Amino acid sequence: MSADEPAAAGHGFAPPYLLFLGDCTEPGYAKTAFGLRDWAGDRCVGEFALPQASVSAGLERLTMGEAAARGARSLVIGIANSGGKIAPAWIPSLAEALDAGLDIVSGMHARLADIPELRAAAQRSGARLVDIRTPPAGLQVGTGRKRAGKRLLTVGTDCALGKKYTALALQRAMADRGIDADFRASGQTGIMISGGGIALDSVVVDFAAGAAEALSPDAAADHWDVIEGQGSLFHPAYAGVSLALLHGSQPDVFVVCHQPGRTHILGHETYALPSIEEVIELTTMLGRRTNPAIRCGGAAFNTAGMDRAEAHALMEREAARLGLPVADPMIGGPPLARLLDSCLGS
Amino acid sequence: MSADEPAAAGHGFAPPYLLFLGDCTEPGYAKTAFGLRDWAGDRCVGEFALPQASVSAGLERLTMGEAAARGARSLVIGIANSGGKIAPAWIPSLAEALDAGLDIVSGMHARLADIPELRAAAQRSGARLVDIRTPPAGLQVGTGRKRAGKRLLTVGTDCALGKKYTALALQRAMADRGIDADFRASGQTGIMISGGGIALDSVVVDFAAGAAEALSPDAAADHWDVIEGQGSLFHPAYAGVSLALLHGSQPDVFVVCHQPGRTHILGHETYALPSIEEVIELTTMLGRRTNPAIRCGGAAFNTAGMDRAEAHALMEREAARLGLPVADPMIGGPPLARLLDSCLGS
């Protein structure tokens, strides 16, 4: 979503952002900050870190006042810790941000407004506390009504293998071709990156399909929504989430995300990973209920950690076997262009 | 569930019950009271109604004090009104029940504890305010682990056509044969009737399959859980709920509930009702993910309003066509016995 556009249904918060790195010393905990740098770099004015932090997103280090003076409107918490807590060491800096007029955007489990110092500072300055895990008010149950515009949904053989990055890469590739396209975030990091969306995992189950409908509203006939998928239809815990998102998204096209070498559902060692063909077949069958024209555009492989030549050879073999383009969206190049061609039906 | 057994995972509240009819003058609003009378009559000591009420469940009318003296432990709100509100006219009587030591059990949207008079009365007497729409604390995400014991799930071509009554009738028929069987409620009226369960429609979507797992825990190898279904895999708003419940329930057997003559999903006139065969095929395919041995036991028809002879002829034709027993569980008799035989695999 471009910075001057209204936010998608759900949470909206204003760019540009200052990235908050707190006291982070472990790069693995700063994935949200890195995702924002990679996918929303044009909306980041800099980063803020406490003296004891050793992690950097490589942006200019600014004080809250400096960031505000450069036009920053939101401080985005770009780090996680185990437990999803707001660390006491962060609170004085967060209060300082509010006093400088910055909104604070958090994807933590703990709610910002439950911290008295932050509530008080927000009341003083009028800045907002935005908890993106809190579902937006007024969600409705799904209607199943066909909406105008075109939609692409990323689905997967499992969780945590690239559905968000694939959607971001495809939206960016569309924009590069001059196609009017929005990325629609269904998870917290995606919401941080795009500045809007709905954290589907926090919605009450009866409203899940309705939330997915709200996430990609009616649009111009040639507009594309590229929707971040969740879970997998084959996941023993999250298939219901995936089906609600599939029905509510009513995609024209889906892309199957996969990580070569993964053999079982993460954390569920008795559940074999489905084949890509099984995912295509089931997604098509179930997706037809709300969009009879649904089709598979191809597959996106997460080949991080593989030898590059080996990855290319594997993707070529798989593309030939499936009769569909296969690309690693983080590598891009001609395979990604072919995947996009297939998705666009051109 | 028998009265002396511990409640299923989720809400538990103590029998026997006094049924609260408030100021109800419209029988259509007293379905919960009628359901309790029909399915949990042995746990109901009587009913309470205000002078202006004209509806009765046909039980002895008692004051709060009389009910307590006869051993009643819970006042169950057996009526609904549009909006799911606690009417102001009810509050003095509800407070009186709490003062008499009765817990209050409500399936309304409004929370009992949000009414100051009731909160105060409960604090005075130590009686509990039980809102069965509030999900139990501590729900986990699903594991997909196979549990001991046998499970039957009712599924449907749509909502609101008899999944709860079918499950209740099959559990009762099992008990009549001396089979150790529990009804497991996944909706508010079922919870009222059985005294336990989880209102699945109020659970956050990430925990929906886990809630279904908690609803039918490990049991003895020859024990049956008969689980109340929700929604339909073909429902544009609720299919995600149905899939989470299917995966989490991991049923050995399912029964397809259907209302002859219904042609479209209720409230979604562009969605054709699926055929029974389509429901069997999709339920079997998706259910295999958590229980590879899943099979269809037959179909339950809701023939209320049909000519009895016509209904019987239709069910015989459908049974021959499907090659599976078809019965109206509210009529019972030999067709229900055949359906149960098929479910039990005998």
Side-chain angles (χ1 to χ4, degrees):
Chain A
M1 185 179 320
S2 65
D4 52 358
E5 231 173 324
H11 304 282
F13 43 90
Y17 313 134
L18 178 65
L19 302 186
F20 182 78
L21 294 164
D23 51 355
C24 189
T25 55
E26 165 53 53
Y29 285 155
K31 280 186 185 170
T32 300
F34 299 156
L36 279 158
R37 173 198 62 196
D38 293 345
W39 293 101
D42 58 332
R43 274 165 280 148
C44 299
V45 297
E47 65 184 46
F48 175 93
L50 293 165
Q52 59 268 45
S54 60
V55 168
S56 167
L59 305 181
E60 189 175 354
R61 198 172 275 208
L62 301 174
T63 66
M64 300 302 176
E66 287 167 348
R70 294 196 195 184
R73 295 179 60 191
S74 301
L75 178 76
V76 177
I77 298 182
I79 47 174
N81 51 23
S82 57
K85 299 244 169 63
I86 312 278
W90 306 352
I91 293 177
S93 303
L94 298 179
E96 197 189 330
L98 293 164
D99 283 330
L102 301 183
D103 296 339
I104 299 183
V105 182
S106 164
M108 317 292 275
H109 275 291
R111 292 183 65 241
L112 293 165
D114 290 341
I115 299 170
E117 294 94 317
L118 301 185
R119 207 170 49 235
Q123 277 164 354
R124 275 198 304 273
S125 72
R128 291 188 310 148
L129 302 173
V130 181
D131 285 296
I132 61 175
R133 276 183 185 262
T134 307
L139 288 178
Q140 304 292 318
V141 299
T143 67
R145 181 182 65 79
K146 184 81 177 76
R147 304 189 296 285
K150 293 172 184 296
R151 287 167 187 80
L152 184 156
L153 175 69
T154 55
V155 304
T157 51
D158 193 1
C159 295
L161 40 61
K163 288 187 285 287
K164 176 175 65 258
Y165 270 49
T166 299
L168 285 161
L170 287 169
Q171 187 275 341
R172 183 175 282 184
M174 286 184 185
D176 287 347
R177 290 196 193 180
I179 296 166
D180 185 21
D182 281 326
F183 167 76
R184 297 299 190 186
S186 60
Q188 52 169 339
T189 303
I191 293 172
M192 296 266 193
I193 291 171
S194 68
I198 299 175
L200 208 74
D201 66 359
S202 301
V203 172
V204 166
V205 61
D206 259 17
F207 299 99
E213 293 182 359
L215 185 61
S216 68
D218 275 302
D222 60 349
H223 175 274
W224 281 87
D225 268 342
V226 185
I227 303 161
E228 174 193 4
Q230 293 291 333
S232 165
L233 291 171
F234 291 83
H235 196 290
Y238 302 129
V241 186
S242 304
L243 181 54
L245 183 54
L246 175 62
H247 275 173
S249 298
Q250 52 181 232
D252 303 282
V253 178
F254 64 91
V255 170
V256 180
C257 302
H258 176 64
Q259 183 171 38
R262 199 182 288 193
T263 56
H264 289 83
I265 299 286
L266 267 185
H268 298 266
E269 297 307 321
T270 61
Y271 284 86
L273 211 74
S275 69
I276 294 168
E277 294 92 320
E278 285 174 311
V279 174
I280 293 173
E281 187 188 359
L282 188 58
T283 305
T284 307
M285 175 192 296
L286 294 172
R288 277 196 188 119
R289 186 65 173 158
T290 58
N291 188 343
I294 189 172
R295 64 187 174 83
C296 179
F301 280 20
N302 177 347
T303 67
M306 282 180 78
D307 172 82
R308 184 62 66 95
E310 205 179 295
H312 276 298
L314 172 68
M315 290 193 281
E316 275 183 28
R317 281 200 309 276
E318 287 290 284
R321 190 175 67 82
L322 296 165
L324 288 166
V326 177
D328 184 330
M330 298 312 288
I331 298 178
L336 184 62
R338 286 194 290 274
L339 177 58
L340 183 57
D341 287 341
S342 168
C343 290
L344 297 171
S346 56
Chain B
M1 186 180 316
S2 64
D4 50 1
E5 230 174 323
H11 304 283
F13 42 90
Y17 312 133
L18 178 67
L19 302 187
F20 182 78
L21 295 164
D23 52 354
C24 189
T25 55
E26 165 52 52
Y29 285 156
K31 280 186 183 169
T32 299
F34 299 156
L36 280 159
R37 174 198 63 197
D38 293 344
W39 293 103
D42 58 331
R43 274 166 281 150
C44 298
V45 298
E47 65 183 46
F48 175 93
L50 293 165
Q52 60 268 42
S54 60
V55 168
S56 168
L59 305 181
E60 189 174 356
R61 198 172 275 206
L62 302 174
T63 66
M64 301 302 175
E66 287 167 348
R70 295 199 194 180
R73 296 180 59 192
S74 301
L75 179 75
V76 177
I77 298 182
I79 49 173
N81 51 24
S82 57
K85 298 245 169 64
I86 312 278
W90 307 352
I91 293 176
S93 304
L94 298 179
E96 198 189 331
L98 293 165
D99 283 329
L102 300 183
D103 295 340
I104 299 183
V105 182
S106 164
M108 317 292 275
H109 276 291
R111 292 184 65 241
L112 292 165
D114 289 342
I115 299 170
E117 295 94 318
L118 301 185
R119 206 171 47 236
Q123 277 164 354
R124 274 198 304 274
S125 72
R128 291 190 309 150
L129 302 173
V130 182
D131 284 296
I132 61 174
R133 276 185 185 262
T134 308
L139 288 178
Q140 305 291 319
V141 299
T143 67
R145 181 182 66 79
K146 184 81 177 76
R147 303 188 297 285
K150 292 171 185 296
R151 286 167 189 82
L152 185 156
L153 175 68
T154 56
V155 304
T157 51
D158 194 2
C159 295
L161 40 61
K163 287 187 286 286
K164 176 175 65 259
Y165 270 50
T166 299
L168 286 161
L170 287 169
Q171 187 275 339
R172 183 176 281 184
M174 286 183 185
D176 287 347
R177 290 196 191 180
I179 296 166
D180 185 21
D182 281 326
F183 167 76
R184 298 299 189 185
S186 60
Q188 52 169 338
T189 303
I191 293 173
M192 295 266 193
I193 291 171
S194 68
I198 298 175
L200 208 73
D201 66 357
S202 302
V203 172
V204 166
V205 62
D206 258 17
F207 298 100
E213 293 182 359
L215 185 60
S216 68
D218 274 302
D222 60 349
H223 174 275
W224 280 87
D225 268 341
V226 185
I227 303 160
E228 174 193 4
Q230 293 291 334
S232 166
L233 290 171
F234 291 84
H235 196 289
Y238 302 129
V241 186
S242 304
L243 181 54
L245 183 54
L246 175 62
H247 275 173
S249 298
Q250 50 181 229
D252 304 281
V253 178
F254 64 91
V255 170
V256 180
C257 301
H258 177 63
Q259 182 171 40
R262 198 182 288 193
T263 56
H264 290 83
I265 300 287
L266 268 185
H268 298 266
E269 297 307 322
T270 60
Y271 284 86
L273 212 73
S275 70
I276 294 168
E277 293 92 323
E278 286 174 311
V279 174
I280 293 173
E281 187 187 357
L282 188 57
T283 305
T284 306
M285 175 192 294
L286 294 173
R288 275 195 190 120
R289 186 66 174 157
T290 57
N291 188 342
I294 190 172
R295 65 188 173 83
C296 179
F301 278 21
N302 177 347
T303 67
M306 283 179 78
D307 172 79
R308 184 63 66 96
E310 207 178 292
H312 276 298
L314 173 69
M315 290 193 281
E316 277 183 25
R317 281 199 309 276
E318 287 290 285
R321 189 175 66 82
L322 296 166
L324 287 166
V326 177
D328 185 331
M330 299 312 289
I331 298 177
L336 184 62
R338 287 194 290 274
L339 177 58
L340 184 56
D341 287 340
S342 169
C343 290
L344 297 171
S346 57

